[in-house]
Amino acid sequence: MNKLLIYYSLSGNGDAIAAALQQQGFALRKVSPKKKMPKAFFLQILAGGFGAGIGRKEPLEAYDPNVAAFDEIAIGSPVWNGRLSCPINTVLAETDLKGKKLTFLLFSGSGAAPKAEQQIRSRFPDAAIVHLKEPKANPQELEKLHQL
Ligand SMILES: Cc1cc2nc3c(=O)[nH]c(=O)nc-3n(C[C@H](O)[C@H](O)[C@H](O)COP(=O)(O)O)c2cc1C
C-alpha cells in the first residue's frame, strides 16, 4: 500500500504525528498558508477560530494536490474552533479523494471535536477518524497511530 499524510501544523503537534507516520512508511506532504498566522495566541484564535467557524479555505503555498499514486491517505488537521482548520479546508476542496482509504487525524487541546467529526462525516461517511490530544506534549497519544 502506498500511504500519504497530507497535513497542516501551526505549532508542531501535526509535525509530531508526521514524524511517527513517516516511520510507518507514509510519504508526507505538509501544506503552508500563503499568509502567515500572527504570533500572539489570542490573535491566532481570532483569525483561525473565526475562519474555521465560517469554513474558510485559506490560500496555500504551491503543493502537489495529485494523490493518484496513493491508495491510503491520512489528512491531519489541528482543531480550530471545534472544526477543521482553514488550510485543510483548502486541501479537501482541491484533492480528489474518491476511492481512497481515508483517515482523518484531528489534534486538539481537548482531544475531542464533535463539529469537526460532523464536517468529515457529511462529506466522507466511510472515513476513519482518530483524535489525538496534544501529541507533542503527550507522546503516548501517538500510539493511536499504530492502527493505520
Ligand atoms: C486558532 C486556534 C483555534 C483552536 N481551537 C481549538 C478548539 O476549538 N478546541 C481544542 O480542543 N483546541 C483548539 N486549539 C488547540 C489546537 O487544536 C491544538 O493545540 C493542536 O494540537 C495544534 O496543532 P499544531 O501544533 O499542529 O498546530 C486551537 C488552536 C488554535 C491556534
Side-chain angles (χ1 to χ4, degrees):
M1 287 284 260
N2 290 321
K3 303 185 284 190
L4 172 69
L5 169 68
I6 307 173
Y7 78 104
Y8 169 66
S9 180
L10 175 65
S11 56
N13 287 280
D15 295 316
I17 289 170
L21 284 185
Q22 194 170 36
Q23 299 288 319
Q24 290 177 217
F26 277 74
L28 306 180
R29 276 182 204 167
K30 181 177 181 178
V31 298
S32 304
K34 283 191 172 153
K35 193 173 160 201
K36 296 303 162 215
M37 281 285 271
K39 291 233 181 319
F41 184 65
F42 78 96
L43 292 177
Q44 292 176 0
I45 293 287
L46 276 182
F50 176 75
I54 59 168
R56 179 176 152 78
K57 298 181 190 75
E58 188 69 35
L60 300 176
E61 298 286 0
Y63 73 104
D64 180 5
N66 186 343
V67 295
F70 298 94
D71 309 304
E72 196 174 325
I73 314 265
I75 305 277
S77 177
V79 172
W80 283 2
N81 192 9
R83 297 164 177 85
L84 293 169
S85 61
C86 304
I88 291 302
N89 288 332
T90 311
V91 168
L92 295 179
E94 294 181 349
T95 312
D96 182 6
L97 294 166
K98 275 195 272 324
K100 306 294 181 187
K101 180 170 186 269
L102 201 53
T103 302
F104 282 83
L105 304 170
L106 300 175
F107 24 107
S108 66
S110 62
K115 285 183 187 151
E117 275 197 31
Q118 276 171 22
Q119 286 179 300
I120 294 164
R121 294 257 171 264
S122 66
R123 291 182 57 187
F124 307 100
D126 297 329
I129 302 175
V130 179
H131 292 270
L132 297 96
K133 185 172 176 175
E134 302 298 34
K136 196 167 66 163
N138 306 303
Q140 73 278 7
E141 287 287 293
L142 297 170
E143 289 169 20
K144 294 177 180 172
L145 302 173
H146 293 165
Q147 62 190 280
L148 271 79

